[in-house]
Amino acid sequence: MTSPILTIDTPAGPVHATAGPREDDGLVFELGGAMRGSVHVTGTTDPHRWDQFTAVRACLGPVNAFKTTAPDEELPRLARNRTGFRGSLTLYRDNTGRPEVSVHPFLSAADHPPSERTAAVLTAVLRGCAEHVEQRDDLSAIREASRQRDTPGLLRFLTWSASHHQAESARLEDEARAALPALKATVAAWWTAARWFIRSPHPVLLVMLADRPGSLPGKIRGLQWWYPYCVTAAAEERERARRAQAEADSLRAQQRPHGRRPPLFTAP
């Protein structure tokens, strides 16, 4: 087990973070030195695989910032500043095992972003606390508690997401099917107008044949673009639906009390 007291170097000076006893799903660090307040670190999903609880998230304030936030007066702040900030940082590993971070925007209680220097301090403190938790012997227990905590909400979202993207895919496929006969009819209308113009030139027919907004050539060009767009977008929506369903199925499998649960990390 690593030391519960950290010293984190920041542009504002050293920040001392003291870890309290482990809670069910994480740790709370009390800050001293160049910062005051607390940081809550918990397990979370990989940003690219919502069924894989292989990351940790550090939040400004004593609670999971994705559920709620600390009262304004309890938000962490620089020692010589009255402005507290909320936000979070997720620490995860890429496909090669290298650490990566994803920062949720920092905002003050009045919804103002911090200065560049303050943002650097907040990022350094959150990353330092997250890295400490990632090295703890009980990391797997923290991640497992986080999985149990977040799975019901994730399942609701992923089930909705799979249904939504499947419906969008079906709608776009219908649009693509409708675009082909519409394109054929518009091209036929252009040729009809062209034949009429050859027989009896008229300004109205010239307007219809001209390449301008709302004209037949404009509609033809739009439909020629619309059909492949709908085909490509429908395929992308099908893939999103497939992925959401696969992640939901994986989470359900991890919930089964009997039988072997999949590992917390699998290759994408």
Side-chain angles (χ1 to χ4, degrees):
M1 185 76 69
T2 55
S3 170
I5 302 178
L6 313 176
T7 298
I8 304 167
D9 292 327
T10 78
V15 174
H16 309 297
T18 303
R22 180 170 71 85
E23 301 176 351
D24 288 342
D25 60 356
L27 277 79
V28 175
F29 292 83
E30 295 299 329
L31 306 178
M35 271 192 72
R36 297 289 187 269
S38 58
V39 168
H40 185 281
V41 183
T42 184
T44 190
T45 59
D46 184 290
H48 307 295
R49 287 290 306 270
W50 287 13
D51 60 327
Q52 301 295 319
F53 282 81
T54 56
V56 293
R57 184 172 65 242
C59 304
L60 293 171
V63 294
N64 181 352
F66 274 23
K67 296 290 185 181
T68 181
T69 187
D72 293 351
E73 63 274 10
E74 294 182 14
L75 291 174
R77 65 202 65 209
L78 298 186
R80 298 181 180 180
N81 198 315
R82 295 182 179 180
T83 302
F85 290 93
R86 59 179 180 270
S88 65
L89 176 148
T90 299
L91 175 65
Y92 62 100
R93 300 279 166 169
D94 65 14
N95 293 335
T96 66
R98 291 178 300 184
E100 296 282 349
V101 295
S102 173
V103 178
H104 193 272
F106 300 126
L107 291 173
S108 70
D111 288 335
H112 297 146
S115 67
E116 184 175 342
R117 177 174 178 271
T118 299
V121 174
L122 300 176
T123 301
V125 171
L126 289 179
R127 180 162 187 164
C129 293
E131 288 175 342
H132 169 86
V133 171
E134 193 181 48
Q135 296 168 8
R136 286 176 61 99
D137 297 336
D138 55 356
L139 175 62
S140 60
I142 292 172
R143 285 173 168 167
E144 176 62 19
S146 301
R147 182 189 68 79
Q148 294 179 7
R149 177 197 67 209
D150 290 345
T151 290
L154 281 171
L155 279 175
R156 287 191 296 271
F157 171 75
L158 289 170
T159 300
W160 170 87
S161 182
S163 176
H164 169 75
H165 290 304
Q166 190 61 46
E168 278 296 291
S169 175
R171 182 186 67 80
L172 288 162
E173 288 171 350
D174 288 342
E175 292 276 0
R177 282 190 292 268
L180 286 179
L183 175 60
K184 184 177 180 179
T186 306
V187 170
W190 187 92
W191 281 109
T192 298
R195 286 192 294 268
W196 288 350
F197 184 79
I198 292 172
R199 293 172 187 168
S200 179
H202 192 280
V204 173
L205 293 174
L206 184 61
V207 170
M208 293 175 63
L209 295 169
D211 190 0
R212 56 187 296 275
S215 67
L216 289 173
K219 292 179 180 179
I220 291 170
R221 188 166 53 252
L223 288 168
Q224 288 174 332
W225 170 85
W226 183 241
Y227 172 76
Y229 166 80
C230 288
V231 171
T232 301
E236 291 172 349
E237 289 294 327
R238 280 196 305 274
E239 174 58 22
R240 293 187 184 103
R242 183 205 63 77
R243 181 166 181 171
Q245 187 61 56
E247 291 181 348
D249 291 343
S250 174
L251 284 172
R252 291 190 182 95
Q254 293 176 49
Q255 282 187 308
R256 292 170 188 161
H258 304 292
R260 191 172 181 179
R261 186 164 60 80
L264 286 177
F265 176 80
T266 56

